[in-house]
Amino acid sequence: MRMEDIPFGITDWASIPRTEHKGTTGIAYWRTVNFGNIRVRMVEYSQGYEADHWCSKGHILLCLGGELETELEDGRRFVLKPGTSYQVADGAEPHRSRTSGGATLFIVD
């Protein structure tokens, strides 16, 4: 990832329109800002959210609230709590997420 041509700025996430993305169960609400080829998101997963697909996109993901379980395609599972993050490269281990009680995430990809 190379950050170029991005002047200093402040993002008021509450002012960014929210889009809805349904999972197998539950809903993900995204607030998305693009800076060139870098996508930055504040994501809220509802209680009972489960992703409807395996993702192969790279991310840096920070859990801000709640608890997130991320499963890798090989069966490994990881739990993120507030203040913990994961990082994965494009095309690396396919992964999907779920949460029983809801979660708030900050994601850069």
Side-chain angles (χ1 to χ4, degrees):
M1 175 185 321
R2 185 164 173 84
M3 293 191 218
E4 296 181 313
D5 300 319
I6 304 171
F8 180 85
I10 302 290
T11 303
D12 175 7
W13 289 99
S15 72
I16 305 299
R18 189 168 89 157
T19 58
E20 185 177 297
H21 304 264
K22 293 183 179 179
T24 299
T25 58
I27 300 170
Y29 299 100
W30 297 9
R31 296 179 192 271
T32 306
V33 179
N34 291 292
F35 301 99
N37 65 346
I38 299 170
R39 179 175 67 172
V40 181
R41 295 178 286 158
M42 186 75 68
V43 175
E44 298 171 58
Y45 287 150
S46 70
Q47 291 183 353
Y49 175 81
E50 183 171 335
D52 64 353
H53 66 283
W54 290 100
C55 180
S56 294
K57 176 118 181 87
H59 315 283
I60 298 172
L61 182 150
L62 172 64
C63 181
L64 299 174
E67 190 172 284
L68 179 74
E69 179 183 311
T70 298
E71 177 185 10
L72 302 186
E73 196 173 43
D74 67 10
R76 290 180 289 160
R77 295 174 186 257
F78 302 90
V79 175
L80 275 68
K81 296 181 179 184
T84 58
S85 63
Y86 77 69
Q87 52 285 327
V88 62
D90 288 327
E93 294 95 342
H95 49 280
R96 66 180 174 189
S97 296
R98 70 175 50 89
T99 180
S100 59
T104 301
L105 313 168
F106 185 78
I107 306 171
V108 178
D109 51 28

